[in-house]
Amino acid sequence: MLAIFKREMRAYFTDPLGYVFLAVFLFVCNLNFYLSNLTNFQSDFSPIFLNMILFLTLLIPLMTMRLWSDEKKQKTDQLLLTAPVSTTSVVLGKFSAAMALFLIGLAFTVVYPILVNAKGVLDVGKTVGNYVGIILVAAAYISISLFVSSLTKSQIVSAICSILALALFVGMDLLVNFSTSPILNTIFVFLSLVTRYRNIFIGVLPLSDIFYFISVTGIFLFLTSRVIEKQRWS
Amino acid sequence: MIEVKNLTKKYGSNLAVDNISFHIKKGEIVGFLGPNGAGKSTTMNMITGYLSATGGNATIAGYDVLDEALEARRHVGYLPEQPPLYMDMTVNEYLSFVFDLKKVRHKTKKDHLAEVCKLVDIEHVRHRIIGNLSKGYKQRVGIAQALIGDPDVLILDEPTVGLDPNQIVEIRDMIKGLGRERTIILSTHILPEVSAVCERVLVINKGVIVADGSADQLTAGVSNDIRYIARIEGKTDEVLGILSGIEGVIEAKLQKQVGAVGGDFAITLESEDVRKKIFFAMADREIPILSMQADTVTLEDVFATLTANDSTKLIFDQEEEGNE
């Protein structure tokens, strides 16, 4: 697992991909901070995180599209799958590398609360809650995109399908408008990320919502390892 | 060391490997020979655990490749048909990654990598990006990758493909050297490679093993005749007349006319000694024999016979000789 993690991290930073991700991520975050906090004299950070949820649906697939698709295309998966390591640990290695890259980006944004705290009143609980929330969301995003990447050899297909999958994941509760079945509606609302994030947004961290994000992450990591394992049986 | 029992692989309704079984002893170098699409790579992928079998099973060093996968894989170094290289890494970074991936414990990384690089002669390119290396060097890095961790079993899928003639000879010698302490399976469709490197040959055609034995056994199995090609300067009828009069000549015919008088004659003999009689018989009539060379059955002939005719099989038991 550590070997995979190290290789993927190295790849992020020898390839421009890692830098591009960090640059775009921080550019959008900074713009948000400037517009919503600095120009409005606002000490509340939650709008930044709400925006992050949206633009990460575009950014995270670009960061994860390579993870499996490229291995399949270059046939380097033959090395990984015949090495004395379990498929699960390979999947976890890749997941943690993508997660680490995101956390590096997120770490830079800690400057904002520090700045606000120096000159104004900071709602520490709400800020910490939002940070925990966005990490959970990113984990779920990465897990879903990693799963999509395991399905195809093409990075472009992987990225586009991941963006669609994440958009569906985020916008699940909008489907309520198109359905008249109460059972379906309950399911849509239950599965929707936005419903889940509403509590976190106002600074509450219900255990059920934390569990929801961890479950989604876990399920898709499991599915990814199943997909990889299934190739042996094709 | 490697035990394969009734291994079968189906892709949909397409039978890629059909119920093959064989046993490979420790220290053997075995060549998998077969035309393109015969099922060589599929078989190798199943032995290494990259693909599962539809039926049957394979064990390496006593471990089942699917049920005790991690243990079995610890014993195998695998070079797939396309070397699994990360083009954006340097040779050093890549091999160091493979070392970590295989969780090699019994050696220090620095020494082991140096040792492997020396063995495949890539020491001078260790700091270069793999994507910029020539095909031959990429192939060597692929072999180096398989050697990391000192596995007892090496499985090499077409190791010399795409190399120049000098490199092919080098790589073959290297494989021979490696085979002193390891069990090696290598696949190829290049026949001289098999006779040069392997002690034992498994010929696969359409997913079935059609021959199993040493290269010598296989050539003998196709034909035991002693055949010579003699270039004799004399009228065809006259030469054939003399030849047919010699005791011990089974068959003689003109193979190719060379010059105004004379040509290449294909002669089948009862024993090698008959050559002397031919020499004296021709000398008596003052017909010069310009050259005489053995026309041995090559693996090409074996291969052609075996793959052209589905019913032909040549299976030699490793202990006792004989056609089945």
Side-chain angles (χ1 to χ4, degrees):
Chain A
M1 185 180 145
L2 195 64
I4 305 280
F5 173 80
K6 271 160 66 184
R7 201 206 86 73
E8 293 300 344
M9 282 314 273
R10 220 201 108 272
Y12 275 134
F13 290 105
T14 46
D15 216 50
L17 193 66
Y19 296 105
V20 170
F21 172 81
L22 291 178
V24 175
F25 177 76
L26 290 172
F27 174 76
V28 179
C29 287
N30 288 343
L31 196 67
N32 267 300
F33 178 62
Y34 178 73
L35 293 177
S36 72
N37 295 90
L38 293 186
T39 52
N40 288 334
F41 304 107
Q42 176 67 258
S43 68
D44 182 11
F45 287 102
S46 27
I48 297 186
F49 288 96
L50 212 54
N51 278 333
M52 238 190 250
I53 289 184
L54 295 178
F55 76 79
L56 281 179
T57 59
L58 298 174
L59 265 184
I60 287 198
L62 297 178
M63 170 170 114
T64 57
M65 63 180 183
R66 210 200 58 230
L67 290 178
W68 277 111
S69 303
D70 209 36
E71 301 271 3
K72 286 176 147 189
K73 193 163 188 187
Q74 307 288 343
K75 299 209 171 166
T76 41
D77 58 337
Q78 278 189 312
L79 172 66
L80 303 182
L81 295 182
T82 56
V85 287
S86 67
T87 312
T88 317
S89 68
V90 177
V91 170
L92 286 178
K94 284 176 179 292
F95 171 78
S96 48
M99 204 61 211
L101 180 63
F102 170 75
L103 291 176
I104 291 171
L106 194 67
F108 284 107
T109 67
V110 176
V111 177
Y112 312 153
I114 292 171
L115 275 178
V116 169
N117 197 31
K119 294 289 173 191
V121 188
L122 181 74
D123 186 338
V124 178
K126 196 172 174 183
T127 308
V128 171
N130 269 301
Y131 268 102
V132 174
I134 201 70
I135 291 170
L136 291 171
V137 170
Y141 279 9
I142 290 171
S143 171
I144 293 172
S145 313
L146 189 62
F147 168 70
V148 175
S149 175
S150 73
L151 297 172
T152 170
K153 276 184 192 172
S154 156
Q155 297 192 26
I156 300 295
V157 172
S158 160
I160 292 171
C161 292
S162 300
I163 291 171
L164 287 175
L166 293 184
L168 183 74
F169 181 53
V170 171
M172 190 85 80
D173 61 341
L174 294 176
L175 290 174
V176 174
N177 300 331
F178 303 102
S179 145
T180 48
S181 151
I183 302 169
L184 272 181
N185 284 347
T186 321
I187 295 174
F188 289 150
V189 172
F190 177 78
L191 288 178
S192 167
L193 178 139
V194 173
T195 339
R196 296 290 171 176
Y197 203 76
R198 238 163 240 155
N199 288 324
I200 298 174
F201 180 66
I202 56 170
V204 187
L205 263 179
L207 208 55
S208 65
D209 292 350
I210 295 178
F211 189 68
Y212 163 82
F213 284 111
I214 292 175
S215 308
V216 171
T217 309
I219 286 168
F220 280 96
L221 286 178
F222 173 75
L223 287 177
T224 308
S225 104
R226 286 296 91 188
V227 167
I228 300 299
E229 197 61 29
K230 190 195 147 272
Q231 287 165 12
R232 293 186 210 271
W233 304 88
S234 62
Chain B
M1 200 69 195
I2 303 172
E3 184 82 57
V4 170
K5 270 192 200 137
N6 308 325
L7 210 58
T8 303
K9 183 74 187 175
K10 269 185 192 165
Y11 291 112
S13 60
N14 181 10
L15 199 58
V17 172
D18 184 6
N19 202 19
I20 67 172
S21 304
F22 56 85
H23 173 81
I24 294 172
K25 290 198 289 277
K26 199 173 162 66
E28 262 186 316
I29 305 184
V30 176
F32 266 22
L33 195 62
N36 295 323
K40 303 186 296 274
S41 294
T42 308
T43 308
M44 291 183 141
N45 276 333
M46 283 194 284
I47 298 175
T48 53
Y50 178 65
L51 283 178
S52 70
T54 317
N57 66 312
T59 58
I60 289 177
Y63 300 102
D64 189 282
V65 295
L66 288 178
D67 296 339
E68 297 151 300
L70 299 192
E71 266 312 315
R73 287 185 215 153
R74 231 180 283 280
H75 291 270
V76 184
Y78 181 34
L79 171 72
E81 204 169 354
Q82 186 181 332
L85 307 173
Y86 292 102
M87 298 301 169
D88 57 343
M89 294 175 113
T90 66
V91 174
N92 249 346
E93 285 169 338
Y94 174 70
L95 294 179
S96 153
F97 162 67
V98 176
F99 185 92
D100 292 342
L101 184 72
K102 290 190 177 178
K103 296 180 190 146
V104 183
R105 296 256 187 273
H106 59 283
K107 292 198 169 169
T108 60
K109 189 191 271 186
K110 201 174 154 224
D111 296 345
H112 188 46
L113 294 195
E115 188 188 346
V116 168
C117 288
K118 189 163 185 238
L119 207 57
V120 296
D121 197 14
I122 51 171
E123 288 155 306
H124 52 294
V125 297
R126 284 180 71 177
H127 296 287
R128 289 180 55 187
I129 302 275
I130 294 178
N132 298 339
L133 295 177
S134 69
K135 185 143 177 25
Y137 274 104
K138 282 181 188 154
Q139 194 71 24
R140 283 172 199 236
V141 177
I143 297 175
Q145 161 275 122
L147 288 173
I148 284 185
D150 255 331
D152 334 337
V153 176
L154 279 179
I155 297 186
L156 310 171
D157 199 347
E158 306 201 352
T160 58
V161 83
L163 303 184
D164 69 41
N166 289 333
Q167 290 173 327
I168 290 181
V169 173
E170 278 176 40
I171 296 276
R172 276 183 199 157
D173 289 344
M174 198 188 82
I175 293 172
K176 258 191 192 167
L178 293 173
R180 281 186 212 113
E181 297 134 34
R182 297 175 181 83
T183 310
I184 300 181
I185 303 184
L186 68 97
S187 83
T188 177
H189 51 255
I190 308 163
L191 298 155
E193 193 152 295
V194 173
S195 14
V197 179
C198 305
E199 299 146 8
R200 184 175 158 202
V201 187
L202 288 173
V203 184
I204 301 185
N205 189 34
K206 294 176 187 163
V208 183
I209 294 183
V210 290
D212 180 357
S214 70
D216 290 343
Q217 284 173 324
L218 295 188
T219 46
V222 166
S223 166
N224 267 319
D225 293 347
I226 303 162
R227 300 209 323 151
Y228 276 86
I229 304 288
R231 179 163 292 184
I232 302 172
E233 202 174 280
K235 291 196 188 79
T236 308
D237 296 341
E238 196 182 353
V239 172
L240 286 177
I242 300 167
L243 285 173
S244 55
I246 300 170
E247 195 189 334
V249 174
I250 299 166
E251 196 196 357
K253 60 174 188 267
L254 180 72
Q255 197 180 48
K256 193 175 75 184
Q257 186 77 39
V258 179
V261 277
D264 286 340
F265 293 86
I267 313 165
T268 310
L269 308 175
E270 259 172 22
S271 72
E272 304 276 347
D273 286 343
V274 183
R275 282 179 300 173
K276 292 176 200 161
K277 290 187 194 166
I278 297 174
F279 171 79
F280 289 119
M282 294 296 167
D284 284 347
R285 308 284 287 269
E286 290 192 338
I287 295 174
I289 299 176
L290 300 178
S291 69
M292 193 184 274
Q293 62 190 44
D295 182 19
T296 48
V297 180
T298 59
L299 270 176
E300 271 88 350
D301 300 320
V302 181
F303 196 60
T305 317
L306 287 168
T307 50
N309 188 343
D310 285 347
S311 59
T312 320
K313 284 200 180 183
L314 284 173
I315 310 288
F316 295 94
D317 206 295
Q318 286 317 99
E319 275 75 42
E320 52 173 3
E321 283 194 29
N323 281 359
E324 250 180 35

